[in-house]
Amino acid sequence: CHREFGECRAMLAGAGLLLEAFELLESSAARLGLDPGEREETVASVAAAVGGGGVVGGQVVDLESEKKQVDGRTLEYIHSHKTGALIRVSCTLGARLARADRRTLEALAAYGEKIGYAFQIVDDLLDELGDSRDLGKEVGMDKARGKATFPAVYGVSESRRLAALAVEGAKEALAGSALEKDPVLAGIAGFILARQA
Amino acid sequence: CHREFGECRAMLAGAGLLLEAFELLESSAARLGLDPGEREETVASVAAAVGGGGVVGGQVVDLESEKKQVDGRTLEYIHSHKTGALIRVSCTLGARLARADRRTLEALAAYGEKIGYAFQIVDDLLDELGDSRDLGKEVGMDKARGKATFPAVYGVSESRRLAALAVEGAKEALAGSALEKDPVLAGIAGFILARQA
């Protein structure tokens, strides 16, 4: 979008879609007959995941960290906020609206957090090692921009181990919940680790 | 903000504040005890004023129009969306939440539309004729960027006449409503026309 239409238009498209998301959330909440408390919690959980305490906050720290030596803790902050928060809320929002029990919601939140973490490690690895034809985007961009990445901080093989561990953890998080044997959730977790593109 | 912290951070701050606005709107709606219909209408009216059918849409057409010959109709579209829509919804939102009657809401919507229009004309005139020390920002930027402006399309004296006409119209819009003699609303309208900074 930013290459085809320019950065300004791309940013405006993002702002426009953000607003449509909240309109949609609001009209869906009305259709689902949520009570005021559920409604507020739903909107607040999405806004928190995207805003200064979520995606926006992670992106700011990511920018601050460019061309600097970054430790594992900062890296974790960036990724748990930049991608983790939105993946986590995406995993729980439907269940919350369907009035899932507390145990299921907690399982989904832990699952979402761990697949989000794995997703980001794999994304960093693919940028470092992947094939730009498979990925459909240029590789090596993180290094060129001096970005904080998992391979830069932990090395390639330790990053692979951390991603596999997170995916195992995601599957374990579902154990004992109603979703323990859910093939789609297990499949998504496995796919995140295996993807080459 | 964009000069001090760079464009990326400024855009992120904008996105973060947008999200905070919707969180605030949602928690205020809960505190005020709005029913689901009122709540949806409130959120939708703000989202519509800011999104693709409002500020974002006006800004996109503004960008498309740079360095082009623009007619009065396009200019009106840009400004009624870029600034008009948000000023209009700001004028009606509180009254809506206070459950003002229909006549008052219509009067405020018309008032907001007209002061928004006047605000934009005066803004264009100040960029063309104002003093950068008074304004606290550079002048002549619209011309330098090839922007569609009222003085460029209508000339300076016709633009002044249009602004005065809009402010008169704003005051007239309140006539016959409960806000007819409201000194603050009349004062704001007058200030928009008179401001030099």
Side-chain angles (χ1 to χ4, degrees), chain B residues 128-188:
Chain B
E128 176 106 2
L129 307 167
D131 185 312
S132 67
R133 279 165 305 177
D134 294 340
L135 286 165
K137 62 177 186 180
E138 282 180 76
V139 296
M141 296 305 287
D142 290 338
K143 201 169 263 178
R145 293 199 183 112
K147 283 273 184 201
T149 68
F150 281 87
V153 172
Y154 295 105
V156 167
S157 69
E158 176 64 5
S159 298
R160 279 199 178 122
R161 200 185 66 83
L162 288 170
L165 210 64
V167 164
E168 268 324 294
K171 291 179 190 166
E172 276 162 26
L174 302 176
S177 83
L179 299 163
E180 176 163 7
K181 305 273 179 214
D182 187 272
V184 174
L185 292 175
I188 290 172

Side-chain angles (χ1 to χ4, degrees), chain A residues 46-58 81, chain B residues 15-16 19-20 23:
Chain A
V46 177
V50 184
V55 178
V56 167
H81 289 75
Chain B
L19 290 155
E20 300 241 353
E23 266 191 89

Side-chain angles (χ1 to χ4, degrees), chain A residues 126-188:
Chain A
L126 287 173
D127 185 80
E128 177 107 0
L129 307 167
D131 185 313
S132 66
R133 281 164 304 177
D134 295 340
L135 286 165
K137 62 178 187 182
E138 281 181 78
V139 297
M141 295 305 288
D142 290 339
K143 201 170 261 177
R145 293 199 183 112
K147 284 274 184 202
T149 68
F150 281 87
V153 172
Y154 294 105
V156 167
S157 70
E158 177 64 6
S159 297
R160 279 199 179 122
R161 200 185 66 84
L162 289 171
L165 210 63
V167 164
E168 268 325 294
K171 290 181 190 165
E172 276 162 27
L174 301 176
S177 82
L179 298 162
E180 175 161 8
K181 304 274 178 213
D182 187 89
V184 174
L185 292 175
I188 290 172

Side-chain angles (χ1 to χ4, degrees), chain B residues 44-143:
Chain B
S45 71
V46 177
V50 183
V55 178
V56 166
Q59 182 69 23
V60 169
V61 178
D62 193 8
L63 286 173
E64 303 295 333
S65 305
E66 280 186 358
K67 301 190 170 65
K68 284 186 195 155
Q69 196 70 27
V70 163
D71 59 15
R73 211 172 131 193
T74 306
L75 188 66
E76 197 137 329
Y77 182 92
I78 293 171
H79 294 315
S80 66
H81 288 75
K82 213 178 86 168
T83 40
L86 193 56
I87 291 179
R88 187 186 146 120
V89 82
S90 303
C91 288
T92 54
L93 194 60
R96 188 197 292 275
L97 295 182
R99 301 195 167 81
D101 60 66
R102 193 182 175 78
R103 177 73 193 83
T104 307
L105 283 177
E106 285 171 359
L108 281 167
Y111 167 87
E113 199 161 298
K114 287 184 187 298
I115 64 166
Y117 191 64
F119 174 86
Q120 193 58 56
I121 301 174
V122 171
D123 212 55
D124 286 358
L125 283 166
L126 287 173
D127 185 80
E128 176 106 2
L129 307 167
D131 185 312
S132 67
R133 279 165 305 177
D134 294 340
L135 286 165
K137 62 177 186 180
E138 282 180 76
V139 296
M141 296 305 287
D142 290 338
K143 201 169 263 178

Side-chain angles (χ1 to χ4, degrees), chain A residues 9 11 26-27 30 40 64, chain B residues 9 11 26-27 30 40 64:
Chain A
R9 285 170 186 78
M11 296 295 286
E26 197 60 36
S27 59
E40 191 179 340
E64 303 294 333
Chain B
R9 286 171 186 79
M11 296 295 288
E26 197 60 34
S27 60
E40 192 180 340
E64 303 295 333

